[in-house]
Every structure is written in C-alpha cells, then in structure tokens.
Amino acid sequence: LISDLADASRAPKVERIATLTLQNTTIISAVAQARADLDGFADSLELMVTDGTLRSKATSSDDSVMTVTARAGMSANSFAATVVVNQLARAQTSVSAVVADNSAAIGQGSMTLAVGDKSFAITIDAANDSLNGLVSAINNSGSGVTASLVSDEGGSRLVLKGATGAANAFTLTADDGSDANLSQFSYGDGGSMALGQSAANAEFTVDGIAFSRSSNIVDDVLGGMSITLKKTSAGQPVEIGASRPL
C-alpha cells in the first residue's frame, strides 16, 4: 500500500518534469534555428555590401544613347548630370580595289604607314610578295592599324582600319624606288585606295560644357564614373541619375 501511494505521488511529478524537459528542448531548438537564420542573414548582408549590391547605381535616362557605371565610393548625389551626344568617335577605314588572287605577287619595295606623328616601315620582299603578305606586314607593324581581306565579287579587297579618334588618322604610301604596283595599296598622296570613313573624335557636352575624346568610352570627365557612348542623341539631353536597390 505504501509503495502504491509513493508511485501515485511520484507519477505526476515525473510527467511534469518530462513535459518541461520537452518544452525546454523545443525552445532551445527554436533559439538555435533563429541564431542560424540570423547568421545566414548577416552573411548575405555582408556579401551584398561587399559586392556593391546595396550601393546606389548610376543610371542613364536612355541606355540606347549611353550607359554609365560608377566606381566604389561614389555617393548618390554625385550622379546628377545632363549629357548631349553630338558625334561618336570613329576609326578611319580605307579600301582597295578588288584583287583576284591574294597570293599573287603585288610588287616589292617598302611602304610607310603614318599614324598621327608616328611612322612605321612596311617591307614587301620575296618572302611576302603578295596581298596576304602585305596584310601580315601591316598587322605586325605595331602601328595600331589592322589589315583584313573582305571577299567581294571577283576576289578580295584590302581593308585598313585604324583606332578611333581624329589623331589616329593614317596614310599608307609607297616609298621612292618601290614597285609602282604598290600604289594600288596606298592611301594618301596619290594612292589608289578609297576612304571608307574618316577618323573622328566623340563630341559631347556635360551640363553644357563641350568635350572631345578619341574614344566612345569616357572615364575622365565625371570623377569616378565611366560613360559609354552608343549613338548620337540628336540634340536631346540624356540624364545621369541614381537608383537605389532597396
């Protein structure tokens, strides 16, 4: 009888302790999960801060005319400007008449490729006496002018292309004493190659101030910001601003 009474008295206490233990275990698990979630949020937030996701982004009111990007450290109130794109920077191109056989001899001698105030020697001799050889000689000259062959009816045309900007206009002339046939691949001073397009600078205004640059990628006008010009805006202003992700 005494044993039964003791068991009856102890049973509710044991049950109560078991219930409390289960509740505490549940609470501890919930706290651990909350801490894990908080750590995950902190990691995500740190990543967003590190990669710049939370920074204000520079925007263009017309991405078809120009795009803008800002470097780290730029504040949102530094993004305001009005830009008008009047002309894009262009590279000079020059084109020869059609040549039937790229590997046929074109004449030997030396040519001078002048780019701005610099000159580069182009030599055609027995080892490279062909249009293919002339293309290689120009591309290996370090002048910044690229030579390529474009297929056309009846053969190929030699196309020369310089870097963008008015200062990168070029001429290619046969030197005295060279084979007269080389004049068909000359541009300037009586050469036979035709001008495809002339070299030109990008012309644009920022808040009414005129700028001229040799490239359509402009990094030195608005501090900490890069502007990529894509097309003229026909006198219509494009606004640079900022947007916030959150």
Side-chain angles (χ1 to χ4, degrees):
L1 179 58
I2 293 174
S3 177
D4 291 342
L5 290 174
D7 290 342
S9 175
R10 185 169 58 251
K13 297 177 181 179
V14 171
E15 184 178 354
R16 175 62 175 167
I17 291 173
T19 300
L20 291 175
T21 299
L22 179 60
Q23 291 175 343
N24 288 338
T25 300
T26 301
I27 292 172
I28 291 171
S29 297
V31 170
Q33 183 61 51
R35 179 169 182 174
D37 293 342
L38 185 60
D39 288 343
F41 173 76
D43 291 342
S44 298
L45 182 61
E46 181 180 6
L47 179 60
M48 293 173 72
V49 171
T50 300
D51 68 11
T53 302
L54 292 181
R55 289 199 302 267
S56 294
K57 304 294 184 181
T59 61
S60 166
S61 63
D62 191 341
D63 284 342
S64 70
V65 174
M66 69 177 192
T67 57
V68 291
T69 56
R71 292 189 284 273
M74 290 290 290
S75 60
N77 59 5
S78 300
F79 293 163
T82 301
V83 179
V84 176
V85 182
N86 297 312
Q87 176 176 280
L88 292 181
R90 297 193 306 267
Q92 176 186 330
T93 58
S94 297
V95 186
S96 76
V98 174
V99 177
D101 186 352
N102 300 341
S103 60
I106 59 173
Q108 298 179 25
S110 61
M111 306 182 77
T112 298
L113 177 56
V115 183
D117 59 356
K118 297 181 180 179
S119 295
F120 302 85
I122 307 297
T123 301
I124 303 298
D125 55 24
N128 65 344
D129 185 3
S130 67
L131 187 55
N132 290 330
L134 176 59
V135 168
S136 295
I138 292 172
N139 288 334
N140 292 328
S141 67
S143 64
V145 175
T146 58
S148 60
L149 295 178
V150 177
S151 296
D152 201 346
E153 184 177 357
S156 301
R157 295 181 185 270
L158 171 66
V159 178
L160 304 180
K161 184 174 183 178
T164 58
N168 292 312
F170 62 85
T171 60
L172 178 62
T173 56
D175 297 337
D176 292 341
S178 297
D179 193 305
N181 287 333
L182 289 178
S183 65
Q184 65 181 313
F185 305 111
S186 298
Y187 174 76
D189 193 23
S192 298
M193 294 185 73
L195 178 66
Q197 70 175 17
S198 59
N201 284 350
E203 307 288 346
F204 58 98
T205 65
V206 177
D207 292 334
I209 303 172
F211 293 92
S212 179
R213 292 292 185 272
S214 62
S215 172
N216 291 315
I217 299 177
V218 181
D219 296 320
D220 62 346
V221 171
L222 296 175
M225 186 176 297
S226 177
I227 304 172
T228 300
L229 307 177
K230 294 183 175 182
K231 70 177 185 180
T232 59
S233 57
Q236 297 300 313
V238 179
E239 303 295 333
I240 294 176
S243 66
R244 297 181 184 275
L246 297 176

